[in-house]
Amino acid sequence: MRVPIGTQIRELRRARGLTLTDLKNLTGRSLGNLSEMERGVSPINLDALDAIARALDVSINWFFSGADNGPADERDYVVRRNARRGINLSQAGTREELLSPHLTGALELVMTTFAPGMGTGENGRERRGEEGGYVLSGTLDLTVDGKSFHLEAGDSFQLPKAGKHWCHNPGATDAVVLWAISPATY
């Protein structure tokens, strides 16, 4: 069973001995907004999750949940479609699925689905390593360090190690992007 992302944030915050006010001071987000995210009332987008993860001293990949229910002899090598771990940010129109069998290697594969009109959020994501992507379907507006690009299915990209980027789906259908991240610090 997948634990709601807000519940995971609250449990990790409490395990770190932090109050909502502490988290507010670390993230710059409002106390009310953080409380609503923890309770599942407000949507959590990728830039909010990134800020919270940094404040709680984890990477976003800490929030991937789901059972490793593939056959035991292949779990270290293969991830079957029905055994993917995910981060459900559906209130913000985004779904993340971990395609890598584990988070201990130097490379991480993630598939992101952005609903029409949705994206990473207005603050963007700060990169901790190299990232590249391939647009599987739909369209994606990508802004990297102030440069904007409109991508369509079949287009790919690579991002430098440091800086910020923003993604937004301007289309009428889901945009699905396959990401390769190294090191595995998403």
Side-chain angles (χ1 to χ4, degrees):
M1 181 174 141
R2 294 182 189 229
V3 177
I5 193 81
T7 301
Q8 290 180 58
I9 291 168
R10 181 175 45 248
E11 289 173 356
L12 182 57
R13 175 182 58 78
R14 288 177 176 167
R16 296 277 195 261
L18 298 173
T19 65
L20 272 173
T21 302
D22 295 331
L23 192 56
K24 170 190 157 303
N25 294 334
L26 291 168
T27 63
R29 303 193 75 84
S30 76
L31 192 63
N33 180 241
L34 289 168
S35 174
E36 288 176 352
M37 283 192 274
E38 284 190 355
R39 292 182 286 128
V41 175
S42 259
I44 302 168
N45 61 28
L46 284 172
D47 70 324
L49 185 59
D50 188 45
I52 291 166
R54 287 175 186 271
L56 297 174
D57 198 29
V58 297
S59 59
I60 288 179
N61 64 24
W62 188 90
F63 295 99
F64 280 111
S65 65
D68 291 329
N69 59 1
D73 63 335
E74 65 181 32
R75 282 188 199 145
D76 288 336
Y77 308 100
V78 175
V79 177
R80 300 290 179 185
R81 174 179 235 150
N82 65 349
R84 292 181 188 155
R85 298 186 318 177
I87 299 176
N88 186 351
L89 304 172
S90 59
Q91 283 184 305
T94 305
R95 186 177 66 250
E96 301 275 359
E97 294 178 276
L98 182 64
L99 303 179
S100 301
H102 47 77
L103 297 169
T104 58
L107 178 67
E108 182 174 71
L109 293 176
V110 175
M111 186 167 59
T112 304
T113 303
F114 295 108
M118 298 302 178
T120 54
E122 60 190 49
N123 293 327
R125 291 204 50 253
E126 189 84 28
R127 291 184 302 283
R128 297 179 186 172
E130 290 188 67
E131 297 184 25
Y134 177 77
V135 181
L136 294 167
S137 63
T139 58
L140 185 75
D141 286 343
L142 173 67
T143 301
V144 183
D145 303 327
K147 296 179 183 175
S148 296
F149 308 94
H150 180 78
L151 304 171
E152 297 179 349
D155 294 339
S156 59
F157 55 91
Q158 184 170 350
L159 309 175
K161 269 188 172 180
K164 279 193 163 190
H165 69 274
W166 294 262
C167 297
H168 176 260
N169 175 3
T173 61
D174 284 351
V176 181
V177 181
L178 173 65
W179 295 87
I181 303 163
S182 179
T185 57
Y186 177 62

